[in-house]
Amino acid sequence: MKNNFCVIMGGGIGSRFWPFSRESYPKQFLDFFGTGRSLLQQTVDRFAKIIPLENILIVTNEKYAELVKEQLPLLHESQILLEPQRRNTAPCIAYAAYRIKACNPDANIVVAPSDHLILKENEFLEAIAKGLDFVRNNDALLTLGIKPSRPETGYGYIQSSEAIRNDFCKVKTFTEKPNSDLAKVFMESGEFFWNSGIFLWNVKTILSAVEKFLPEISARFNLGADKFNTPEEQEFINLHFPYCPNISVDYGIMEKAGNVFMQCVDFGWADLGTWGSLFDIAAKDDNNNAALKTRTLLYESENNIISLGNSSRLAVIQGLKDYIVAENGNVLLICRKDDEQRIKQFMADAQLKYNEEFM
């Protein structure tokens, strides 16, 4: 167990959850369901049941350092890896891998976003333990593929290349978010799984892949390989990390490597990336309206999601169907659910017109 590490990626803005998710306080630090624990805290709580707490690392943007410390006081400051700039998941993962190698060159690593919901936690933890055992014994880059429950267009898909044996199989293709017709074909085929964005590997395997497929990253970090896990690490990262390419680990490594495997799982997973994904799992009234920690009076309204940041307010809504109604701080958003992909543009337009006032 001492060789098992967890890297939680928690540096994103979560702009598709605007106006709740803000530049200064993004969604991973929010408690959407009134549990008393943020998405980040729930993620750490979950992994701490099978990974030693001292082996859990949080990678985040430097502007969120104090937020992470405040929400995770049991973590040592050295367990919070700070990125001076956002550079997507590949540099983030490489940074964490170099740090972990400096601590334990035999480490097995699970990498996960900080904003996932897991409904069947025991099944999830069993799958992670099984996956860590797999990468300990195999030179493999492993990703978790979720058995699809609907023809979802908001997720990427992974295609298996052969019959699944013991829940593991080689990956044939990765496909980005499909249209609705293609998503239906994927689901009916039985060969495609949702791409969870959760990865497992041995530290040697992932660093070998970084060197092979993203040499510009390994070349940078190799310049200061002896500085990781020392007081000089942050200064080195601040100098070199901004020069890393802005690229995801899916594009940069997983779609190119020949040793990519998928573990096929089904543990009640949801990527809380959009209001729509939140609506799917939220409790509903008789007219399929979801009110999140919000008092409402609804008339002739159905299939809406309503969330007010001020719990003392009452939302009175008449005649709305299939809408997002979200108010937080100084912003009220009313948007068709089918158009939620435009929220990032709405946020960008607000910034362009009003500077940082509504960010």
Side-chain angles (χ1 to χ4, degrees), residues 4 55 69 81-82 119 121 130 143 148 177 187 196 203 239 246-247 273 278 295-296 331 335 346 351:
N4 291 341
N55 288 1
K69 293 175 188 176
L81 309 189
L82 301 179
L119 299 178
E121 188 170 277
K130 190 173 181 178
T143 183
K177 301 171 183 177
M187 183 172 177
S196 70
V203 67
L239 179 62
N246 188 339
I247 190 170
L278 200 56
R295 292 181 289 180
T296 61
V331 176
C335 168
F346 299 159
Q351 185 174 23

Side-chain angles (χ1 to χ4, degrees), residues 194-211:
W194 289 338
N195 186 349
S196 70
I198 300 173
F199 308 101
L200 301 97
W201 37 54
N202 182 272
V203 67
K204 296 172 186 174
T205 304
I206 185 59
L207 287 180
S208 175
V210 172
E211 186 171 354

Side-chain angles (χ1 to χ4, degrees), residues 104-175:
N104 185 333
D106 298 316
N108 310 299
I109 306 169
V110 52
V111 179
S114 58
D115 56 356
H116 285 180
L117 179 73
I118 306 296
L119 299 178
K120 302 175 186 176
E121 188 170 277
N122 289 338
E123 288 91 333
F124 172 79
L125 296 177
E126 288 173 6
I128 295 299
K130 190 173 181 178
L132 286 169
D133 189 57
F134 180 82
V135 299
R136 177 173 61 87
N137 295 304
N138 295 276
D139 178 25
L141 302 169
L142 181 64
T143 183
L144 298 191
I146 311 294
K147 183 179 179 181
S149 58
R150 60 186 184 277
E152 173 63 53
T153 60
Y155 299 152
Y157 284 74
I158 307 169
Q159 183 183 18
S160 57
S161 63
E162 56 189 37
I164 299 167
R165 301 194 199 102
N166 299 321
D167 298 331
F168 297 95
C169 64
K170 283 290 289 286
V171 168
K172 186 175 183 180
T173 62
F174 287 86
T175 303

